[in-house]
């Protein structure tokens, strides 16, 4: 840090890294307690996880989402490695919830890694199609994303 809390960056890559890292870290910090929750029903955890990520995602400017989504390729190898580890931590939290749902019998026998990528992709892509001026609120759209995903992976008894 510089004088009075002002950060000094060594270049554009350092700024890009800080932005991507801070946003990714904030999301991981939001979902980690959900992934570590062993007592709540896994289907409700999945709903909360999806809605938490969706709300976080839609609260950001579209330009910030684009930067965090596409800027990885412009990072140095060591910075890219750190961001990928944060993304893997997000995936581990979602995988844990999905695995608990599978083990409880609430979810079908799915590949949680693939399904987790599908869910994250739907949320990330929402910056293109979701508008707060649309007919559904952020909360209602988060429920809609959950219902869409859940209908595809719930156990059929």
């Amino acid at each position: 840090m510089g004088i009075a809390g002002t950060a000094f960056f060594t270049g554009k890559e350092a700024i890009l890294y800080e932005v991507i890292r801070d946003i990714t870290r904030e999301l991981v910090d939001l979902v980690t307690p959900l992934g570590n929750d062993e007592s709540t029903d896994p289907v409700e955890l999945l709903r909360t996880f999806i809605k938490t990520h969706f709300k976080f995602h839609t609260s950001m400017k579209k330009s910030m989402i684009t930067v965090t989504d596409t800027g990885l390729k412009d990072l140095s190898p060591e910075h890219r490695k750190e961001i990928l580890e944060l993304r893997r931590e997000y995936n581990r939290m979602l995988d844990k919830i999905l695995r608990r749902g599978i083990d409880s019998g609430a979810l079908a026998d799915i590949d949680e890694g693939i399904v987790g990528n599908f869910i994250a992709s739907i949320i990330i892509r929402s910056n293109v199609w979701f508008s707060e001026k649309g007919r559904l609120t952020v909360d209602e759209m988060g429920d809609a994303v959950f219902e869409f995903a859940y209908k595809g992976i719930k156990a059929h008894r």
Side-chain angles (χ1 to χ4, degrees):
M1 283 294 201
I3 300 171
T6 303
F8 292 100
F9 298 99
T10 57
K12 290 178 186 176
E13 191 273 345
I15 296 169
L16 179 64
Y17 162 70
E18 290 287 331
V19 168
I20 295 172
R21 187 196 65 198
D22 288 352
I23 290 170
T24 307
R25 167 57 52 209
E26 188 175 345
L27 176 60
V28 169
D29 289 347
L30 285 172
V31 300
T32 294
L34 300 170
N36 290 331
D37 183 340
E38 297 289 331
S39 60
T40 303
D41 174 70
V43 173
E44 283 310 307
L45 277 176
L46 181 60
R47 176 188 303 275
T48 303
F49 188 100
I50 289 171
K51 289 180 74 171
T52 298
H53 185 175
F54 190 82
K55 185 176 183 179
F56 174 80
H57 196 75
T58 57
S59 72
M60 292 192 312
K61 290 184 175 189
K62 292 182 183 213
S63 58
M64 296 305 290
I65 296 165
T66 301
V67 165
T68 59
D69 191 35
T70 62
L72 193 65
K73 68 185 181 334
D74 298 316
L75 296 179
S76 67
E78 58 274 6
H79 286 161
R80 188 177 312 111
K81 181 179 177 184
E82 185 178 343
I83 301 304
L84 289 173
E85 181 52 39
L86 285 170
R87 289 181 177 186
R88 280 190 288 277
E89 185 62 23
Y90 168 94
N91 290 340
R92 282 190 289 273
M93 295 301 110
L94 183 50
D95 289 355
K96 283 172 71 173
I97 293 169
L98 292 169
R99 174 53 45 200
R100 280 193 57 229
I102 295 164
D103 292 346
S104 75
L107 301 181
D109 188 18
I110 55 169
D111 181 319
E112 60 266 24
I114 292 172
V115 169
N117 285 334
F118 287 162
I119 290 170
S121 294
I122 290 168
I123 295 168
I124 291 165
R125 186 73 173 150
S126 70
N127 76 312
V128 172
W129 53 262
F130 178 74
S131 170
E132 290 191 33
K133 296 176 184 170
R135 66 180 177 86
L136 297 179
T137 66
V138 170
D139 194 54
E140 290 168 331
M141 190 55 75
D143 277 326
V145 172
F146 164 76
E147 290 297 332
F148 177 79
Y150 180 61
K151 285 178 182 176
I153 62 176
K154 72 179 179 178
H156 301 283
R157 299 174 195 178

